Amino acid sequence: MSTRIPRNATKVFYATESTTRTKPDGEVIRCAGREQRSTTFREARRFLDDLGVPGSVTVWTERSNRTDAYADRRADGTWTALDRLTGTWEPLPETKEGQS
């Protein structure tokens, strides 16, 4: 499930599975699980959907050389994306079969 990222890519999407662990004192912490780098959001979204797990997608851009939040997948399979203009998380539409 790995994707070859071209050396001259200007944008890279990181899909990361969210998992939880319980510390010896009983505290539950959130940590990262499997991860995939993709050249498109569609590939990153498909990775988490195929796993059927909650997770997040971040995007790195060459221009700013920063990694920013892009979208989240909840445990129930719904997606939300960050609207950069308003700073709010908004639901993403469901993908149709074959379009993911």
Side-chain angles (χ1 to χ4, degrees):
M1 273 190 132
S2 65
T3 302
R4 186 178 176 282
I5 305 298
R7 190 177 308 182
N8 61 348
T10 59
K11 191 179 282 192
V12 178
F13 293 89
Y14 294 88
T16 306
E17 171 190 16
S18 295
T19 59
T20 57
R21 289 192 189 148
T22 305
K23 288 183 167 182
D25 64 0
E27 179 186 2
V28 177
I29 58 171
R30 183 178 171 190
C31 54
R34 293 170 278 196
E35 183 178 272
Q36 176 179 316
R37 295 185 312 162
S38 305
T39 55
T40 64
F41 175 65
R42 180 182 296 197
E43 291 173 351
R45 184 174 182 165
R46 187 179 318 130
F47 173 73
L48 291 174
D49 283 341
D50 288 349
L51 291 176
V53 296
S56 63
V57 176
T58 57
V59 62
W60 171 86
T61 54
E62 179 185 38
R63 177 184 278 175
S64 67
N65 196 26
R66 289 180 25 179
T67 302
D68 295 310
Y70 194 81
D72 280 333
R73 184 182 193 278
R74 305 238 167 94
D76 62 1
T78 59
W79 281 88
T80 57
L82 182 61
D83 181 342
R84 301 235 179 268
L85 295 175
T86 63
T88 59
W89 289 88
E90 299 180 355
L92 279 176
E94 296 294 320
T95 58
K96 296 185 176 127
E97 189 63 34
Q99 284 187 335
S100 61

